[in-house]
């Protein structure tokens, strides 16, 4: 359990710096002299760094000790936060965020494989949930705290605190992560790594990731201005709403882990459909503070409950060649984030308004339902079992 805690702490640090930008987006935009929709590209740029750079870095470092690599990535994160705090303009801030994001993408790919290798097969869903909970707890603690710090002392102070989180992550992994972590599997050849991506359970799950992120980040990227302008909340209440969203997400991620270890695909399909309904509810209640806050909490829970079975499914179906596929987990999520943030910016610039964002998300979730049902039927007809892990030599 202690190694999982170390991986959790680093995931919390990475998750906080990724998500906190939504809480301080208006301040960052003002401080760097750009519009809020333009500042939204700090979200999509970060996501692109994860999506493209993460898999490439994971492949380039597959022969390095997993513990050494994970600590090195945490060091890169820490230096990156200090640099972001000192960024003089929007362009430099964007480039620095992308650089940190490359380390982020490689970290989560490696950490997921290490985590599932530390537990029995029937606990893989919960191991994934522990790593994912680093992201959800970042919403419970990191994002609201970072938002409050930004409101009190400016957004640059938020990034200095992120740097301190990086130091804590480095210390935790040095102390708690075994030197042999992740050494039980032998590296597969690049051709085999690529071939496993052709398994339908893998590429359909990546499609589900894209749709899930459009359903989540099309709205979450602009959650602060939505709550201020559509719902009419006072700015001081926004961190508390983000806190409640994170509480819902934390409950959801462990529920999703349990469901992944129980009945993965039926649970996943049901939750995808419920999320489509939930986004429709958010559209309907967005002008009303109390119903809107309740809806955001449930929506946050479903977002992360859905993520655990998707990731567990990919790890199960790529166990014989997990390096590239595992790095495509954060990549797939963040391609979706980039699309969502960019789609949101385009919709806002076209004059549709913040209230239109959950409508686009609901449509994406209905696409996900159709893909998941088709994938389950296909798998049932093929009757092929998931592969066994490749043994270390």
């Amino acid at each position: 359990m202690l190694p999982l805690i170390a991986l959790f702490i680093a995931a919390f640090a990475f998750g906080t710096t990724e998500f906190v930008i939504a809480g301080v987006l208006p301040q960052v935009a003002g401080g760097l002299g750009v519009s809020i929709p333009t500042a939204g590209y700090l979200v999509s740029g970060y996501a692109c760094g994860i999506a493209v750079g993460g898999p490439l870095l994971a492949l380039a470092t597959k022969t390095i000790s997993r513990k050494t690599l994970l600590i090195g990535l945490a060091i890169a994160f820490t230096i990156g936060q200090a640099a972001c705090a000192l960024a003089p303009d929007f362009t430099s801030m964007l480039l620095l965020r992308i650089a940190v994001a490359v380390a982020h993408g490689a970290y989560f790919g490696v950490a997921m494989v290490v985590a599932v290798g530390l537990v029995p097969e029937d606990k893989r869903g919960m191991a994934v949930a522990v790593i994912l909970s680093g992201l959800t707890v970042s919403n419970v603690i990191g994002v609201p705290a970072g938002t409050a710090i930004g409101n009190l002392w400016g957004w640059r102070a938020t990034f200095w605190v992120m740097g301190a989180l990086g130091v804590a992550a480095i210390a935790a992994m040095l102390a708690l992560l075994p030197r042999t972590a992740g050494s039980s599997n032998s590296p597969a050849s690049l051709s085999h790594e690529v071939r496993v991506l052709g398994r339908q359970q893998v590429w359909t799950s990546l499609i589900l990731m894209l749709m899930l992120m459009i359903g989540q980040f099309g709205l979450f990227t602009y959650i602060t201005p939505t709550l201020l302008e559509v719902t009419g909340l006072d700015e001081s209440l926004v961190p508390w709403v983000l806190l409640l969203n994170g509480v819902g997400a934390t409950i959801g991620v462990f529920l999703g882990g349990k469901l992944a270890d129980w009945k993965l695909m039926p649970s996943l399909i049901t939750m995808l459909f419920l999320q489509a309904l939930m986004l429709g509810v958010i559209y309907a209640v967005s002008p009303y503070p109390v119903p809107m806050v309740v809806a955001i909490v449930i929506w946050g829970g479903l977002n992360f409950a859905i993520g655990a079975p998707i990731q567990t499914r990919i790890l199960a179906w790529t166990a014989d060649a997990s390096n590239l596929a595992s790095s495509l987990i954060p990549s797939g999520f963040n391609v979706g984030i980039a699309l969502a943030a960019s789609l949101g910016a385009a919709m806002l610039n076209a004059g549709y308004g913040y209230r239109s964002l959950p409508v686009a998300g609901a449509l994406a979730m209905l696409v996900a339902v159709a893909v998941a049902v088709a994938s389950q039927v296909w798998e049932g007809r093929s009757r092929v079992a998931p592969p066994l892990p490749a043994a270390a030599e």
Side-chain angles (χ1 to χ4, degrees):
M1 188 63 186
L2 288 179
L4 292 181
I5 292 174
L7 296 174
F8 160 85
I9 293 171
F12 171 78
F14 275 109
T16 299
T17 202
E18 178 176 14
F19 299 140
V20 77
I21 196 72
V24 295
L25 197 64
Q27 294 96 317
V28 173
L32 297 177
V34 297
S35 68
I36 289 177
T38 298
Y41 289 109
L42 292 173
V43 176
S44 56
Y46 193 97
C48 288
I50 294 175
V52 178
L56 294 176
L57 184 57
L59 286 175
T61 57
K62 68 178 183 178
T63 60
I64 298 176
S65 156
R66 301 295 89 179
K67 179 174 182 177
T68 300
L69 177 58
L70 290 171
I71 292 171
L73 295 171
I75 291 172
F77 165 89
T78 304
I79 295 172
Q81 300 316 296
C84 284
L86 298 170
D89 53 40
F90 177 77
T91 301
S92 59
M93 181 69 166
L94 179 60
L95 293 175
L96 288 166
R97 290 273 294 173
I98 292 171
V100 171
V102 173
H104 179 137
Y107 173 81
F108 276 91
V110 174
M112 287 292 178
V113 175
V114 170
V116 298
L118 293 169
V119 299
E121 183 177 343
D122 62 349
K123 300 295 183 183
R124 289 184 303 194
M126 284 306 296
V128 169
V130 169
I131 307 303
L132 274 182
S133 70
L135 300 179
T136 63
V137 174
S138 75
N139 279 285
V140 175
I141 299 174
V143 172
T147 302
I149 289 168
N151 289 337
L152 289 172
W153 297 299
W155 63 269
R156 293 183 188 275
T158 298
F159 282 94
W160 284 117
V161 173
M162 298 304 100
L165 277 179
V167 173
I170 294 167
M173 287 192 287
L174 283 169
L176 302 177
L177 199 61
R179 186 176 58 182
T180 57
S183 63
S184 59
N185 292 355
S186 61
S189 67
L190 178 59
S191 61
H192 190 44
E193 295 271 6
V194 173
R195 282 198 303 273
V196 302
L197 301 180
R199 294 169 184 161
Q200 70 89 358
Q201 293 87 353
V202 179
W203 59 261
T204 55
S205 294
L206 292 173
I207 292 173
L208 297 183
M209 287 183 180
L210 295 179
M211 297 301 105
L212 176 62
M213 291 299 96
I214 291 173
Q216 179 177 359
F217 274 87
L219 174 59
F220 191 79
T221 302
Y222 305 100
I223 191 66
T224 296
T226 298
L227 291 171
L228 295 176
E229 296 186 22
V230 179
T231 311
L233 288 184
D234 185 87
E235 185 177 29
S236 64
L237 296 177
V238 171
W240 295 103
V241 177
L242 296 176
L243 172 64
L244 291 174
N245 176 268
V247 170
T250 302
I251 295 171
V253 72
F254 287 106
L255 175 62
K258 285 285 189 183
L259 293 173
D261 289 330
W262 177 54
K263 291 187 180 295
L264 194 152
M265 286 306 292
S267 300
L268 178 57
I269 292 167
T270 300
M271 290 189 292
L272 290 169
F273 181 71
L274 289 175
Q275 189 68 316
L277 293 179
M278 201 65 241
L279 283 159
V281 170
I282 288 175
Y283 168 79
V285 305
S286 56
Y288 311 105
V290 174
M292 179 62 164
V293 171
V294 173
I296 286 175
V297 173
I298 298 171
W299 169 68
L302 281 169
N303 281 325
F304 280 86
I306 293 167
I310 290 176
Q311 295 183 70
T312 302
R313 192 177 195 224
I314 291 177
L315 292 169
W317 282 94
T318 61
D320 56 332
S322 59
N323 193 61
L324 177 59
S326 65
S327 69
L328 288 176
I329 291 176
S331 180
F333 276 123
N334 284 277
V335 167
I337 293 174
L339 289 174
S342 299
L343 175 63
M347 293 173 68
L348 294 174
N349 286 329
Y352 285 100
Y354 294 113
R355 200 178 176 191
S356 67
L357 301 177
V359 176
L363 294 175
M365 300 312 298
L366 291 176
V367 171
V369 171
V371 170
V373 169
S375 178
Q376 184 188 30
V377 171
W378 189 350
E379 181 179 328
R381 289 177 177 174
S382 67
R383 298 183 180 180
V384 177
L388 296 174
E393 296 179 359

